[in-house]
Every structure is written in structure tokens, then in C-alpha cells.
Amino acid sequence: TMAILTSSSAANAADSSTSLGTDQRGVTRPQNGGYDIGAYEARSPDFSFSTVTSIAADVGGSGSTTVTVNSIEYFNSAVTLNVQDEPAGVAVTLSANPVTPDFNSSASSTLNATLPASLPAGSYGLLISGVSSSPSLSHSTGTKIVVTPTTGGMKNVINSFLTTGAIDRSGIANALSSKLTAAQTFITAGDNQTATNVLQAILNQLNAQSGKHINASAASALITDTQALQLSLGALRPNPLIGYVTNSNSGAITGATVNVLNASNGVVAS
């Protein structure tokens, strides 16, 4: 099949009464007001985006993906890219902008995203748009930043919070980091239950220090990260506290509900 341009003498020159409803590729006829002579129906030059894979990143880390612009029907103009809807504090850059695909080919740019320590684990949508001036066209596509915590990434986040003052006691930061080191040891050994228990101890400490020696928003981010790390280990529950409750005469009390309180008398477990 020979491709033709919309400026070809064969464009819009076929007899409509004898023309088929699609060309050899399955493109609907007509495209530009009339049927084209031959097996190829010319469309106006355009561009499209290939599917943009998600950006995978650790908490407080960075990641990248490839944005590819494809030429349709001999499109060969510069396409200016723009990234929108990135979460607060996320720095995005493009390795090439604008990009110009060759005729019926493609051109790519690497999209990099650097995350702040304050961005917790989760999935965040991005909108990528492209604009050309000649011809005047605009298209968009979407992708996601998927933030998945590791113990190493969380320790980096803790150090960042300590540096910025969001954690104001080095002893607290060291205690949290030590627990994460212990959790990773159990994860590496395949002991996810004990790792879950250690992570629960981190959650208890974060809840107790939130708004005190750990800024509330920093504590919230770390709590989300810890819970996501727990979830990644499987549907495990921390081992319960086991014991009994007695009255002042050392007699057993049955049917009692026991609450575990933090330093502010807030219930952290029951």
C-alpha cells in the first residue's frame, strides 16, 4: 500500500459511488470530505501518545518513565510537552522538550520525578499534554507515580525529617531507624510475622510522638508508609498482648476491655 499526502492529486478524487467504506488498513473513508483514489485514505497529519508506564519510586526517592510521541500521516512538527497535577513538592523534569517525531515515526523524552520526604506511600495521577503549533493540535495522556516504601527509603525519610526539624530529637529518629533495621532483618529472613510486630511498635511510637517531638504531618506520612510496608508483608496482624486483669483483691475480672494509651491518654490499641 502506497501512502499519500492530503495534498496528493489522488486525494478526494475517487468516485464515491464505487469507493469502499474503509481503506486497506481499515481506516474509515472518506477522511477529508472526499474519497481518495487507491487503497490508502489520507488523514490529516496528527500525533498520538504511546501508553506511558507508571513511575515506580521509593518514599522520598525518585523514578522515571518514557513519554513517546508518534507521528500520524507524515506529521513532523515540534510537540511541546507539559506535566500537570503532580503532588505538592514533587519535582518533574523532561529530558527533551519539545520533541519532533520523524515522518511516520516517533520521538521520546524521559520524564523524571523526584519525591519529597513528606509524600507518603500511595498512587498519584499525572496528566501529560502535548501541543503543536503547525498544525495546531493538542492531545493528552495520563500516568501515575506509584510510591512503595522500603525500610531503607523510610530511614532516608526519617533522616530528612530530622534535618528539617520535623523530628526534633535525634534519639527518636535513631530509635525509629533501629526498629526499621530490625524489621528488615526479619523480612530478609522470611519472618514476616515478627517484622509486622516490629512495624507495629513503630506505629505505636509514631502515634505517641505525633504533634510532640514529631511534626503531625511528618508523623502522618510515616504512619502511612509503615502501614503500607506492613500490608506488603501480607494480611498479618500484630501479635496481641496476652495477660489477665485483676481487681484490687487480685481477683480475676472477666469480660474487661483493655485500652493501650499513649502519653496523651489517647487510645492506640484495645
Side-chain angles (χ1 to χ4, degrees), residues 91-122:
V92 294
T93 60
L94 290 158
S95 63
N97 194 21
V99 295
T100 304
D102 290 334
F103 291 122
N104 296 335
S105 187
S106 61
S108 297
S109 180
T110 300
L111 170 59
N112 298 287
T114 302
L115 315 185
S118 57
L119 186 70

Side-chain angles (χ1 to χ4, degrees), residues 47-53 65-72 105-108 128 139-143:
F47 72 88
S48 67
F49 284 107
S50 295
T51 299
V52 182
T53 59
T65 190
T66 300
V67 180
T68 299
V69 175
N70 307 300
S71 166
I72 301 172
S105 187
S106 61
S108 297
I128 303 167
H139 296 294
S140 62
T141 189
T143 190

Side-chain angles (χ1 to χ4, degrees), residues 116-158:
S118 57
L119 186 70
S123 180
Y124 304 89
L126 295 178
L127 178 67
I128 303 167
S129 60
V131 177
S132 69
S133 58
S134 181
S136 179
L137 297 168
S138 177
H139 296 294
S140 62
T141 189
T143 190
K144 296 183 293 184
I145 302 174
V146 180
V147 185
T148 304
T150 65
T151 56
M154 288 183 62
K155 287 194 284 187
N156 290 336
V157 167
I158 289 168

Side-chain angles (χ1 to χ4, degrees), residues 50-259:
S50 295
T51 299
V52 182
T53 59
S54 298
I55 298 172
D58 199 351
V59 289
S62 62
S64 63
T65 190
T66 300
V67 180
T68 299
V69 175
N70 307 300
S71 166
I72 301 172
E73 303 293 339
Y74 297 99
F75 178 89
N76 183 223
S77 297
V79 177
T80 300
L81 303 172
N82 185 46
V83 182
Q84 299 170 269
D85 298 340
E86 65 271 26
V90 173
V92 294
T93 60
L94 290 158
S95 63
N97 194 21
V99 295
T100 304
D102 290 334
F103 291 122
N104 296 335
S105 187
S106 61
S108 297
S109 180
T110 300
L111 170 59
N112 298 287
T114 302
L115 315 185
S118 57
L119 186 70
S123 180
Y124 304 89
L126 295 178
L127 178 67
I128 303 167
S129 60
V131 177
S132 69
S133 58
S134 181
S136 179
L137 297 168
S138 177
H139 296 294
S140 62
T141 189
T143 190
K144 296 183 293 184
I145 302 174
V146 180
V147 185
T148 304
T150 65
T151 56
M154 288 183 62
K155 287 194 284 187
N156 290 336
V157 167
I158 289 168
N159 288 333
S160 177
F161 285 153
L162 182 63
T163 300
T164 62
I167 297 177
D168 66 8
R169 293 289 188 274
S170 60
I172 292 174
N174 291 337
L176 292 169
S177 293
S178 294
K179 289 183 178 73
L180 285 166
T181 298
Q184 185 57 56
T185 299
F186 291 117
I187 292 170
T188 302
D191 188 354
N192 287 355
Q193 180 62 71
T194 304
T196 297
N197 296 341
V198 174
L199 294 174
Q200 187 61 43
I202 292 174
L203 287 173
N204 293 341
Q205 184 175 5
L206 291 170
N207 279 303
Q209 294 296 336
S210 178
K212 297 175 182 177
H213 294 299
I214 304 178
N215 175 279
S217 62
S220 177
L222 286 169
I223 287 169
T224 299
D225 296 341
T226 305
Q227 290 171 334
L229 186 54
Q230 272 187 326
L231 186 62
S232 73
L233 300 180
L236 303 175
R237 293 177 60 86
N239 285 338
L241 295 173
I242 299 174
Y244 53 89
V245 180
T246 62
N247 59 27
S248 58
N249 297 319
S250 297
I253 299 176
T254 61
T257 298
V258 178
N259 293 327

